[in-house]
Amino acid sequence: MVTATKRSQSLSDVGLTVTAMSGDKMRELGISNVADLATQVPGLTYAPSLSSSPVYTLRGIGFFESTLAAYPDVSLYMDQAPLPFPIMADLVAFDLERVEILKGPQGTLFGNNATGGAINFIAEKPTNELAAGLNVSYGRFQTLEAEGFVSGPLSPELRGRLAVKSVRADDWQRSYDTPGDTLGEKDNTAARMLLNWTPAENLDVTLNINGWRKKDDPIGVQMIAYNPEYEVGAAGFGGVLEENEIPIQSYEPYNGNSGRDAGWTPGLPYQDNEFWQVSLRFDYSFGNDLTLTSITSRSDAKIDAGIESDGTYLILIDLLPDQGDIESFSQELRLSNDPSNDLRWMVGLNYEDSEVSQSAGYYYPDTTSTMVNGISVNIFESDQEMDNRAVFANLEYDFSEAVTLRGGLRYTEADRDSISNLANHPFLEPRNGAEFTVTEFFNLAWPVLFGDLGYEGVLQPGDNIALDTRTDANGNPVNPDTYLKPNVKPQFELEEDNVSWSLGVDYRLTDDVLIYVNVMKGYKAGSMPTLSGSIYEAYEPVEQESLVDYEAGFKARLWNGRASLNGAAFFYDYENKQLRAKFVDPIFNQLDKLLNVPKSEVTGAELEFTALVTDALEISVAGTWLDSEVTEYEGAVGSTMGPMGFEPINASYAGVELPYTPEWSYAVRTTYTFDLSAALQGFASVGLTGQSDSVGVLTPVPARQERYSIDSYSLLDMNIGIRSRSADWELALWGKNLTDEYYWHSAVPAFDTDGRYPGRPAEYGVRAAYRF
């Protein structure tokens, strides 16, 4: 049973492509977060980023933007209460009844920011009888995981459930720079309390309080190439770049075959992040078969991290510190009729108010930029507010016993404000030969590029640096109030609206075979960056993206219900894909910026087969095929020096593969259960998951495509153990990546280097579970 349409339905009756996994299966596979889930669900990928915020891509649709305020393309929920920003879902995957992965745009019921799909975590609910359980696992790298729960009645109308999970582990990565230095310690704790109150037959109230604290070491980066911002001979206010002045030039890129090796600046990286959420759900049934549902939630996340991005002991680009605060409030109110009616409808309202602040120190004393420009440190800050309002309706009508018509509509208004600041770092001073603070540098640089602006030497420490150079097609200032004026912080507003919609037909060929056809359109709200740039253009927002999904699929129950075969084929028409990519800053050359890719498309197909071959043997096979490409986009591939500083060299990106869209991804599993005695049962399961080649960066340059490639990989896992036939206890040996495959999640450019984020090596251990 799943709630993909916000009603409880059998998975085989839902005319959507949905992957569901039970909490027991997740525990068996060692899945504790979305990163683990991505290794088991074809079409879903996970990528670490320079910041603490992960990136999820589903069927090739994802937003590789690492800042805290970036909404995802794959929306995340806990019991239908939104986790609006990806970092919030870090440690919520414990004590779950199941998880549902909805593929394709889900804008009608799940709103903005679900162009790729939605992931809904369903927590285990309080029980009517007293129950408790404990799961303990111990494995390689001294990894100790302990999870427990207690559940039961507190009064005749009130039930409660408390669950806690804690993980501790030693380092697993080794420095190839400083022998003996290690990284990878785990130290995290998560908890959830559920209270379910049913004072009357027609009223059900659930309070969910959950949160976590994570002090795990982030993944260490492997430097794979030297990619200098400036070549030997480049000249600037810091002098002329001489060959013997480039610290990184003599550094050897990593050419090993182990994910355990990495490089980092001593003392980095680190994180101390925390999250909590309170959600309150009311379901009130009227006497005329109507149900009113209200879901109110408040979420808060605090981030304190030090980021290492270049994969060396040198300080090429370290974020020190990277701190942020997220506060989000959400309210959904919906009214629906009895799901047993031939005509089923749902109408609702949704509101979200979020505030995100982030401050990051950029420290880069060993870069070619420092040698040329004479600066080595700065800080950039961003404060953003988001306000989203929506009204939606969904309709299903059983036209006949065989045919069901479906349709949905959602109107959304999304407002967003941002104010940014680039200034001197409050406590880190210039070093390694850097002559200037950021303020001193710009007091020299801007008059040289733009002539006497009347403020040479006027900027003070702490003043905003970015200059408003924007002009229209006639050369007139876009904003005369800020044009070429000092200490005016970049401030932008977005006011957008859209209509998401869906149309579908379900045809039940037989009682066991469902065929469905859907056309769905979804949107992702416009976004604003948190980054460092010398001109206002660097801080400009990207507009909302949209995706139309043309999809047909089938679901079949075979062999008297002992097997199922599900498949789908789809075509995505993708407009204004949001992307973090390089643009050419007039002073600093190629820097990061948010951009829109006007046109791209994804064609794909999926197949999933599960069979209980005998009462003892179960097999499952799932696979996804994707073909993605940009069809319209002109972007920077290099730069040249012009009269007003660096200028871009543009090229067409048409035909380029979208990042994180492997052509093939798959998951194969065999589970065998056998009797040992009247009281004992044995079990064994073997799984193989993997994907073909993909790329981590959108680029039309073949050499860069090769550099940022993510090679194909296959991961082997195994579980073997014994349990009581009553399922009171279980003891198992487990293993993940048993062949010790060297693979990586992403390959991305930093500054003067390119790097990879490797996956974990072989791990194995023992797991014990007991139910009271």
Side-chain angles (χ1 to χ4, degrees), residues 321-602:
D322 183 13
Q323 297 175 323
D325 187 22
I326 305 173
E327 297 177 359
S328 183
F329 170 81
S330 174
Q331 173 65 55
E332 179 164 297
L333 196 66
R334 63 180 189 253
L335 184 68
S336 58
N337 70 338
D338 193 316
S340 64
N341 291 334
D342 289 343
L343 177 63
R344 298 173 294 281
W345 55 263
M346 179 184 296
V347 295
L349 303 170
N350 187 272
Y351 174 74
E352 181 212 333
D353 179 66
S354 297
E355 297 181 4
V356 183
S357 62
Q358 186 173 4
S359 173
Y362 255 27
Y363 204 26
Y364 42 92
D366 294 325
T367 59
T368 55
S369 176
T370 293
M371 311 306 166
V372 171
N373 296 307
I375 55 175
S376 64
V377 60
N378 66 268
I379 193 170
F380 61 90
E381 302 166 312
S382 171
D383 290 293
Q384 302 192 30
E385 296 183 6
M386 304 80 153
D387 188 81
N388 301 286
R389 304 166 299 279
V391 56
F392 63 91
N394 200 66
L395 188 70
E396 298 178 11
Y397 175 57
D398 293 335
F399 183 78
S400 66
E401 290 187 0
V403 178
T404 298
L405 306 179
R406 294 178 284 104
L409 205 63
R410 187 184 192 103
Y411 173 72
T412 301
E413 294 180 344
D415 299 337
R416 188 166 184 149
D417 300 326
S418 78
I419 184 168
S420 303
N421 185 44
L422 169 65
N424 292 343
H425 201 290
F427 60 83
L428 290 177
E429 296 295 329
R431 55 164 283 184
N432 200 18
E435 301 178 42
F436 312 115
T437 65
V438 170
T439 300
E440 294 167 341
F441 173 79
F442 278 94
N443 279 330
L444 292 170
W446 283 126
V448 171
L449 285 178
F450 292 95
D452 185 3
L453 304 178
Y455 65 87
E456 184 175 356
V458 170
L459 288 172
Q460 301 299 316
D463 285 353
N464 177 69
I465 299 304
L467 200 65
D468 190 354
T469 61
R470 295 172 297 165
T471 57
D472 59 23
N474 298 319
N476 299 315
V478 171
N479 189 342
D481 293 332
T482 60
Y483 184 65
L484 301 183
K485 292 182 180 178
N487 197 26
V488 180
K489 296 181 180 180
Q491 190 166 355
F492 293 94
E493 296 181 0
L494 272 178
E495 293 182 358
E496 299 177 319
D497 62 80
N498 61 68
V499 177
S500 298
W501 51 266
S502 64
L503 295 172
V505 179
D506 295 347
Y507 177 64
R508 187 156 293 282
L509 187 63
T510 69
D511 289 342
D512 293 325
V513 179
L514 175 71
I515 299 173
Y516 60 90
V517 177
N518 294 319
V519 183
M520 303 182 289
K521 184 171 187 177
Y523 287 84
K524 179 187 180 302
S527 192
M528 297 176 176
T530 301
L531 45 69
S532 180
S534 69
I535 54 176
Y536 269 37
E537 284 91 329
Y539 301 89
E540 287 180 329
V542 286
E543 62 182 275
Q544 62 187 357
E545 67 180 32
S546 66
L547 186 146
V548 180
D549 173 21
Y550 303 90
E551 185 160 349
F554 66 90
K555 296 183 177 183
R557 290 192 295 260
L558 309 173
W559 304 342
N560 295 320
R562 296 178 67 90
S564 65
L565 178 65
N566 304 327
F570 55 90
F571 174 78
Y572 286 169
D573 184 2
Y574 201 4
E575 292 190 3
N576 290 320
K577 173 181 172 58
Q578 297 171 5
L579 180 75
R580 187 177 181 120
K582 295 296 183 182
F583 91 111
V584 176
D585 183 280
I587 287 184
F588 296 112
N589 203 353
Q590 296 195 50
L591 297 178
D592 286 354
K593 187 183 188 301
L594 294 187
L595 300 166
N596 284 114
V597 177
K599 295 279 189 180
S600 51
E601 60 186 39
V602 181

Side-chain angles (χ1 to χ4, degrees), residues 10 206 249 275 330 464 516 519 656 750 771:
S10 169
T206 299
Q249 196 168 47
F275 164 77
S330 174
N464 177 69
Y516 60 90
V519 183
V656 174
R771 298 289 184 270

Side-chain angles (χ1 to χ4, degrees), residues 239-313:
V240 177
L241 183 61
E242 304 290 345
E243 188 167 3
N244 59 4
E245 292 180 328
I246 307 176
I248 190 60
Q249 196 168 47
S250 60
Y251 198 99
E252 290 294 330
Y254 180 71
N255 58 5
N257 58 359
S258 172
R260 297 192 64 185
D261 299 324
W264 57 85
T265 304
L268 293 178
Y270 67 85
Q271 63 180 330
D272 187 355
N273 304 335
E274 59 185 57
F275 164 77
W276 61 265
Q277 181 188 60
V278 178
S279 67
L280 184 64
R281 174 169 176 158
F282 289 84
D283 289 284
Y284 181 76
S285 299
F286 299 91
N288 53 356
D289 291 334
L290 297 180
T291 299
L292 180 67
T293 299
S294 171
I295 302 176
T296 308
S297 67
R298 168 63 190 265
S299 305
D300 187 278
K302 297 187 183 300
I303 309 302
D304 183 7
I307 308 299
E308 157 68 52
S309 66
D310 54 71
T312 77
Y313 68 89

Side-chain angles (χ1 to χ4, degrees), residues 488-768:
V488 180
K489 296 181 180 180
Q491 190 166 355
F492 293 94
E493 296 181 0
L494 272 178
E495 293 182 358
E496 299 177 319
D497 62 80
N498 61 68
V499 177
S500 298
W501 51 266
S502 64
L503 295 172
V505 179
D506 295 347
Y507 177 64
R508 187 156 293 282
L509 187 63
T510 69
D511 289 342
D512 293 325
V513 179
L514 175 71
I515 299 173
Y516 60 90
V517 177
N518 294 319
V519 183
M520 303 182 289
K521 184 171 187 177
Y523 287 84
K524 179 187 180 302
S527 192
M528 297 176 176
T530 301
L531 45 69
S532 180
S534 69
I535 54 176
Y536 269 37
E537 284 91 329
Y539 301 89
E540 287 180 329
V542 286
E543 62 182 275
Q544 62 187 357
E545 67 180 32
S546 66
L547 186 146
V548 180
D549 173 21
Y550 303 90
E551 185 160 349
F554 66 90
K555 296 183 177 183
R557 290 192 295 260
L558 309 173
W559 304 342
N560 295 320
R562 296 178 67 90
S564 65
L565 178 65
N566 304 327
F570 55 90
F571 174 78
Y572 286 169
D573 184 2
Y574 201 4
E575 292 190 3
N576 290 320
K577 173 181 172 58
Q578 297 171 5
L579 180 75
R580 187 177 181 120
K582 295 296 183 182
F583 91 111
V584 176
D585 183 280
I587 287 184
F588 296 112
N589 203 353
Q590 296 195 50
L591 297 178
D592 286 354
K593 187 183 188 301
L594 294 187
L595 300 166
N596 284 114
V597 177
K599 295 279 189 180
S600 51
E601 60 186 39
V602 181
T603 304
E606 297 181 327
L607 195 65
E608 181 181 285
F609 175 72
T610 301
L612 192 62
V613 180
T614 68
D615 290 341
L617 178 64
E618 180 181 5
I619 62 172
S620 63
V621 180
T624 297
W625 170 77
L626 296 173
D627 179 31
S628 70
E629 67 172 344
V630 173
T631 57
E632 180 185 332
Y633 176 50
E634 293 279 335
V637 294
S639 64
T640 185
M641 180 61 71
M644 305 296 286
F646 288 102
E647 297 176 351
I649 299 173
N650 291 328
S652 172
Y653 280 61
V656 174
E657 175 188 347
L658 294 179
Y660 303 103
T661 56
E663 183 178 12
W664 295 99
S665 55
Y666 58 88
V668 181
R669 180 164 299 280
T670 300
T671 301
Y672 184 66
T673 306
F674 49 94
D675 292 333
L676 294 173
S677 69
L680 294 180
Q681 190 177 64
F683 62 90
S685 99
V686 179
L688 186 69
T689 61
Q691 65 175 51
S692 59
D693 296 348
S694 64
V695 65
V697 173
L698 187 71
T699 175
V701 181
R704 295 178 187 173
Q705 292 173 355
E706 183 177 355
R707 180 181 298 173
Y708 302 128
S709 67
I710 302 171
D711 284 357
S712 62
Y713 61 83
S714 298
L715 305 178
L716 178 69
D717 67 76
M718 183 180 297
N719 286 272
I720 183 169
I722 59 172
R723 59 185 167 222
S724 66
R725 295 184 63 85
S726 59
D728 292 337
W729 61 267
E730 179 178 295
L731 184 65
L733 299 174
W734 59 268
K736 295 195 289 187
N737 190 12
L738 286 173
T739 60
D740 203 21
E741 177 98 349
Y742 169 49
Y743 70 104
W744 52 94
H745 299 286
S746 61
V748 294
F751 287 85
D752 282 355
T753 65
D754 298 316
R756 290 175 182 157
Y757 288 85
R760 294 179 70 91
E763 295 181 89
Y764 36 80
V766 60
R767 181 183 69 252

